[in-house]
Amino acid sequence: MVHSLDEKIKTIFPEESVLKNSDKYSVFSGFSIPSFVKDWLIKMFTDENDELDENGLKKFITNNLANNQKHVKGTLITDNKEVTLLARIVVEPDIKTGKLRFSVPDAGLKMNECEIPDYVVRDNPELKGGEVWGIITLDYLIPSGKEKGVILLEKFKSFKPYSVDVDYFASKRNQFSLMEWVDFLIRSMEYNPDGFDSFTQKLLFISRLLVFVEPNLNMMELAPKGTGKSYVFSNLSKYGWVVSGGTVTRAKLLYDISRESSGLIQQYQFLALDEIETIKFQDENELRGALKNYLESGSFTVAKYKGDSNCGLMVLGNIPLDENKKPLNKQYFANLHKFFMDPALLDRFHGFIEGWYLPRMREELKIDGYGLNVEYFSEILNEMRRVPEFEIVVQQLLDIPLKADTRDTKAIIRISTAYLKLLFPHVRTIQDISKEDFEEYCLKPAMHMRGIIKHQISLIDYEFRNELPDIKIK
């Protein structure tokens, strides 16, 4: 049976939507590919009648997926022919030589082995630095008079099949009710909204997207295992990165002095520290101090290097629950690494997501219908970070007491702004939204999320007051 929302999405977003179901996605079984790449491939191998060329897609993945190719170097050197890969590449400018170098981690190609010619960069400005996904064509060359060869990136096709226009996307919002729009967002996150228990639960679920749309937003979510935390942050956007386990160092996170290279915070728009209980922190006091400065101001200093970024930090962890599915310990952060047992550090996080109210992944939550192509969706979310009108509207709507704590105010404004972007992307002035809608769906959840942080800090250190400023709608 065709769902009414299917027809609506297909009609309103004819070029940007894609039919998502388990049958189509089964073609990727056995391959490790993020969703924004899967949707790009499905679109490429689907005809105008929504028929998927499974054989063509399987052949393309088998022959071109980088982490499926074990002999790339050998093929380039011995066969004297180009190699085409579907790959994630990491680009880093080499200051000493003036060249742009790249690596293909999944294919074992290292930074000091690979270069990008100037003519390729001219047509692809995204290759000037950082991580990008695309279809790459590689060749092997031994320059004249040189003993060492080099792998060249001869061609590059980016995963940007759309011209992304936020205003075009926002203009469609009025054709959906709020409930339809939330269901539409959940479908675009690759979940089935009909599998959720309530509208409140749906709103909580899409709060995971807040860090996708708002710069320098720092959040925490604790939830039981199996609620899809890792999936959302690993699969929906190439602009984010997930650190899961291992050791976090200042060099990895902020800046590597020995290599003179930026850390993850300057490479991505949001960074998720997953399974936070298992992560180890090197030189804890030094890293904690640098991180406090960054979370407060968006800038940091390492030795003589001063860095800035609008990357948000998302801390993800598990939490034990009782038989009523409520936290066993009233101190939610009790199981976190001692690195986080610093009230001044916790105070710099803007809000907290109560993940225990979200459902465990089950069959009825698997999408079966139309949603936005994840690649397009991730581009739209990323572009929203740069639209200034949303925060201006929030500032104009709020009545903030003069004695309000600045960190509380900043947190509530940022979370409210992020909700406004997600739920009401068409809003550009205060006339575009009712005060009732803004209060109910933007301000109240922002106050609640910040309130949890304040309450939890007060349980650790009684000098921190468990109260929020009386912020209201003007």
Side-chain angles (χ1 to χ4, degrees):
M1 186 178 72
V2 178
H3 196 290
S4 60
L5 192 56
D6 284 317
E7 288 301 318
K8 198 162 196 174
I9 294 171
K10 189 177 179 181
T11 301
I12 296 173
F13 290 101
E15 298 299 322
E16 301 83 13
S17 61
V18 63
L19 179 61
K20 303 163 183 268
N21 56 43
S22 56
D23 291 337
K24 279 193 173 185
Y25 283 111
S26 65
V27 73
F28 298 110
S29 179
F31 297 104
S32 179
I33 306 176
S35 295
F36 59 84
V37 178
K38 289 178 184 176
D39 278 0
W40 188 88
L41 289 170
I42 285 178
K43 192 80 171 177
M44 189 164 71
F45 285 89
T46 299
D47 63 22
E48 61 275 7
N49 297 317
D50 278 330
E51 293 295 324
L52 178 66
D53 177 9
E54 283 196 29
N55 291 330
L57 178 51
K58 284 182 179 178
K59 183 178 179 181
F60 181 85
I61 295 172
T62 301
N63 293 336
N64 300 102
L65 184 64
N67 61 14
N68 203 41
Q69 310 303 312
K70 302 183 184 302
H71 308 293
V72 174
K73 291 181 186 179
T75 301
L76 286 167
I77 293 172
T78 62
D79 293 1
N80 194 29
K81 67 177 184 180
E82 295 179 337
V83 172
T84 297
L85 298 175
L86 167 63
R88 170 177 66 94
I89 71 172
V90 181
V91 181
E92 194 170 293
D94 187 336
I95 300 299
K96 294 179 181 178
T97 64
K99 298 180 182 297
L100 286 171
R101 301 196 176 277
F102 72 97
S103 64
V104 187
D106 295 329
L109 305 186
K110 299 176 183 178
M111 195 76 67
N112 60 357
E113 301 170 328
C114 309
E115 291 181 13
I116 307 176
D118 292 341
Y119 60 85
V120 177
V121 180
R122 280 197 296 271
D123 296 330
N124 301 278
E126 63 264 50
L127 292 176
K128 291 180 179 179
E131 179 184 292
V132 290
W133 273 86
I135 296 177
I136 60 175
T137 300
L138 306 175
D139 200 0
Y140 178 71
L141 173 71
I142 300 179
S144 177
K146 302 282 188 179
E147 294 183 359
K148 294 182 178 180
V150 64
I151 297 172
L152 296 178
L153 197 160
E154 292 285 1
K155 297 177 185 176
F156 178 76
K157 183 177 180 181
S158 173
F159 286 117
K160 283 196 175 183
Y162 306 98
S163 57
V164 179
D165 184 342
V166 172
D167 290 334
Y168 163 82
F169 174 77
S171 69
K172 309 295 184 180
R173 169 63 178 85
N174 283 322
Q175 298 182 55
F176 294 83
S177 68
L178 178 60
M179 289 190 176
E180 286 176 334
W181 186 256
V182 169
D183 285 357
F184 169 58
L185 292 178
I186 291 174
R187 280 173 171 236
S188 299
M189 295 172 71
E190 302 203 312
Y191 281 75
N192 175 21
D194 296 336
F196 287 81
D197 298 331
S198 65
F199 187 62
T200 300
Q201 195 179 61
K202 292 177 183 180
L203 289 173
L204 184 64
F205 181 71
I206 67 168
S207 67
R208 288 175 171 170
L209 295 178
L210 296 174
V211 297
F212 287 60
V213 298
E214 182 64 13
N216 295 110
L217 181 61
N218 309 309
M219 301 286 291
M220 287 186 162
E221 178 184 344
L222 299 182
K225 295 179 179 179
T227 55
K229 299 187 298 296
S230 304
Y231 184 86
V232 169
F233 295 97
S234 300
N235 284 275
L236 297 187
S237 176
K238 61 178 174 283
Y239 295 107
W241 188 255
V242 176
V243 176
S244 185
T247 300
V248 171
T249 65
R250 187 181 63 177
K252 183 177 182 179
L253 201 62
L254 299 170
Y255 183 75
D256 191 323
I257 298 173
S258 62
R259 296 178 58 198
E260 297 183 347
S261 61
S262 58
L264 293 171
I265 274 178
Q266 286 194 302
Q267 296 175 30
Y268 296 96
Q269 302 287 19
F270 63 87
L271 178 65
L273 300 181
D274 194 16
E275 302 286 347
I276 194 63
E277 318 91 87
T278 67
I279 291 178
K280 298 178 181 178
F281 297 88
Q282 195 176 84
D283 299 323
E284 290 183 18
N285 291 334
E286 188 178 30
L287 179 56
R288 189 188 293 111
L291 192 58
K292 281 182 188 177
N293 288 337
Y294 175 71
L295 296 180
E296 182 76 22
S297 64
S299 63
F300 61 90
T301 301
V302 176
K304 295 181 180 180
Y305 179 82
K306 180 175 174 55
D308 298 285
S309 175
N310 64 13
C311 177
L313 189 63
M314 186 80 196
V315 171
L316 303 170
N318 298 313
I319 188 169
L321 306 179
D322 61 22
E323 64 277 6
N324 297 315
K325 296 183 179 181
K326 295 293 178 65
L328 279 171
N329 195 327
K330 67 176 184 178
Q331 292 192 22
Y332 298 164
F333 304 141
N335 291 332
L336 295 189
H337 191 283
K338 60 184 175 61
F339 179 86
F340 286 99
M341 292 297 101
D342 180 348
L345 176 62
L346 292 172
D347 197 28
R348 286 160 167 80
F349 282 87
H350 300 119
F352 183 93
I353 297 173
E354 299 165 295
W356 52 87
Y357 290 120
L358 294 174
R360 282 182 58 84
M361 187 62 194
R362 51 184 187 260
E363 289 301 306
E364 64 178 331
L365 285 171
K366 291 182 178 179
I367 186 170
D368 184 11
Y370 277 87
L372 284 181
N373 182 313
V374 172
E375 170 62 14
Y376 175 78
F377 186 49
S378 71
E379 291 291 337
I380 284 293
L381 296 178
N382 188 58
E383 285 299 313
M384 281 190 178
R385 299 171 72 88
R386 289 181 274 276
V387 182
E389 286 86 353
F390 293 106
E391 184 177 343
I392 293 171
V393 169
V394 171
Q395 296 269 15
Q396 290 175 341
L397 282 169
L398 295 182
D399 184 7
I400 300 172
L402 293 176
K403 293 185 179 181
D405 181 271
T406 299
R407 283 189 190 148
D408 292 338
T409 302
K410 183 189 294 185
I412 290 164
I413 288 175
R414 284 191 185 168
I415 299 174
S416 296
T417 302
Y419 269 116
L420 187 65
K421 291 175 180 179
L422 287 177
L423 298 177
F424 307 98
H426 59 294
V427 169
R428 294 295 182 271
T429 70
I430 58 174
Q431 285 75 36
D432 296 333
I433 185 172
S434 72
K435 292 182 178 180
E436 291 76 17
D437 278 349
F438 177 78
E439 182 173 23
E440 183 66 26
Y441 301 110
C442 302
L443 178 58
K444 281 186 177 180
M447 297 280 285
H448 179 69
M449 288 177 168
R450 178 58 181 173
I452 296 172
I453 293 285
K454 293 283 287 191
H455 178 63
Q456 289 301 313
I457 294 174
S458 72
L459 295 178
I460 298 172
D461 187 340
Y462 295 114
E463 291 186 10
F464 279 77
R465 301 173 66 183
N466 179 23
E467 61 182 40
L468 288 176
D470 188 23
I471 297 177
K472 298 179 179 178
I473 305 294
K474 286 183 181 176

